[in-house]
Amino acid sequence: MLHELVFDYTIRNVALGSAILGVAGGVLGCFAVLRRQSLMGDALAHATLPGVCVAFMLSGSRASVWLLLGAAVSAWIGALVILAIVRGTRIKQDAALGIVLSVFFGAGVVLLTAIARSGAAGQSGLDRFLFGQAASLIWPDVVTMGALAGAALLAVAVLFKEFKLLAFDPAFAASLGYPVRVLDVLLTSLIVVAVIVGIQAVGVVLVVALLIIPAASARQWTDRLSVMVLISALFGAASGVAGALISASGANLPTGPLIVLVATGIFLLSLVTGRRRGLLWSFLRDRRAAPEGLR
């Protein structure tokens, strides 16, 4: 299998693309989890679908660059709508997420159906953005994913202190003079980038799992954000590569769901054995702390 990972063109592309998705999703998912915005990625992923359809209708091409550009614009508009609803109305964030998710995804399904019935040339395969098709990744796709993920990770590295304050205490960050609203929009935009990186591999339905599960797993091991980010990136990359290799081993199973299942396995293991918050270690600490007569 290691030989195929190195020399097989398709397996190498799928594994590398999945690893890039795992790292980007793992890092940015940490901030979503800590800010209790786990469903933000889900809403933005579903909001990409109408952008994909409109991009195809305007360009007449299934070239990844145009479809991903349309997906990015649509998801970013969805993010701005969510922020506008939360700030400008009395509607809570969970309701705003549900509204944007359902409205944008409904519009996308309508457009996708209209394209299918139009008989337009080249429309076959657009539905892969719903569930992903990692096996179709080619080297230019991997390069695009790497460039987008690299830009997002660079932004996180440069603004790590600001994002850390935003995640834990936005009111304190505002009192220090930080532009909290600008940082909020920027962080949400970076989550959009992570979603765009992942929709080709796992689709709009499952991409949120790669944002949330590695971060939730890493949270069981540490209370330090910097360490959590590194662990989450490692778990995300491991899930991506392992899922790709299992799919390529002859099991004839879809790569995206396998990646999510591997990530879930890591989460369950972390939930039990995580050094900081795992159930086993929490039980042992509580047992040691209990008075002798209560043991």
Side-chain angles (χ1 to χ4, degrees):
M1 184 58 67
L2 182 60
H3 179 273
E4 292 179 342
L5 180 62
V6 175
F7 295 104
D8 187 279
Y9 176 82
T10 300
I11 296 177
R12 186 173 66 247
N13 286 340
V14 173
L16 186 55
S18 300
I20 291 170
L21 164 61
V23 172
V27 170
L28 290 163
C30 290
F31 297 97
V33 168
L34 293 175
R35 299 179 71 199
R36 299 181 180 179
Q37 293 182 336
S38 298
L39 288 179
M40 176 68 81
D42 196 21
L44 297 182
H46 284 76
T48 61
L49 188 57
V52 170
C53 296
V54 171
F56 173 78
M57 294 168 70
L58 293 177
S59 66
S61 169
R62 285 195 299 115
S64 295
V65 62
W66 296 113
L67 300 186
L68 292 180
L69 180 61
V73 171
S74 182
W76 192 64
I77 292 173
L80 294 181
V81 171
I82 292 171
L83 295 176
I85 291 174
V86 172
R87 292 172 180 169
T89 70
R90 289 184 157 183
I91 297 175
K92 300 297 183 182
Q93 186 177 69
D94 57 345
L97 291 172
I99 291 170
V100 168
L101 185 154
S102 56
V103 171
F104 275 67
F105 189 66
V109 171
V110 170
L111 290 173
L112 196 61
T113 303
I115 291 172
R117 291 180 176 176
S118 70
Q123 52 88 15
S124 176
L126 283 179
D127 56 349
R128 79 178 189 274
F129 284 92
L130 285 174
F131 302 106
Q133 194 173 356
S136 67
L137 290 177
I138 58 176
W139 180 245
D141 295 331
V142 175
V143 172
T144 300
M145 294 170 69
L148 290 172
L153 295 177
L154 179 61
V156 170
V158 171
L159 297 171
F160 185 78
K161 180 179 69 175
E162 290 79 0
F163 288 157
K164 183 177 181 179
L165 280 173
L166 185 66
F168 288 105
D169 197 340
F172 180 62
S175 70
L176 293 178
Y178 288 105
V180 171
R181 290 195 173 187
V182 174
L183 290 172
D184 194 10
V185 172
L186 179 57
L187 184 54
T188 303
S189 299
L190 293 178
I191 294 175
V192 170
V193 173
V195 168
I196 299 306
V197 169
I199 57 174
Q200 284 194 102
V202 298
V204 302
V205 177
L206 294 176
V207 70
V208 65
L210 272 298
L211 282 169
I212 304 307
I213 296 178
S217 303
R219 188 71 179 94
Q220 310 307 310
W221 294 92
T222 182
D223 285 333
R224 294 182 59 190
L225 179 58
S226 57
V227 178
M228 178 182 173
V229 166
L230 292 175
I231 295 175
S232 182
L234 177 62
F235 284 166
S239 300
V241 173
L245 292 180
I246 294 172
S247 177
S249 65
N252 198 28
L253 295 173
T255 305
L258 282 173
I259 293 172
V260 174
L261 290 177
V262 172
T264 303
I266 293 174
F267 169 73
L268 293 175
L269 182 64
S270 300
L271 189 64
V272 175
T273 63
R275 190 67 176 85
R276 185 58 185 164
R277 291 171 173 259
L279 297 177
L280 177 61
W281 288 101
S282 296
F283 172 77
L284 294 176
R285 281 193 295 266
D286 292 343
R287 185 174 176 80
R288 284 197 299 267
E292 187 68 31
L294 298 179
R295 294 183 181 179

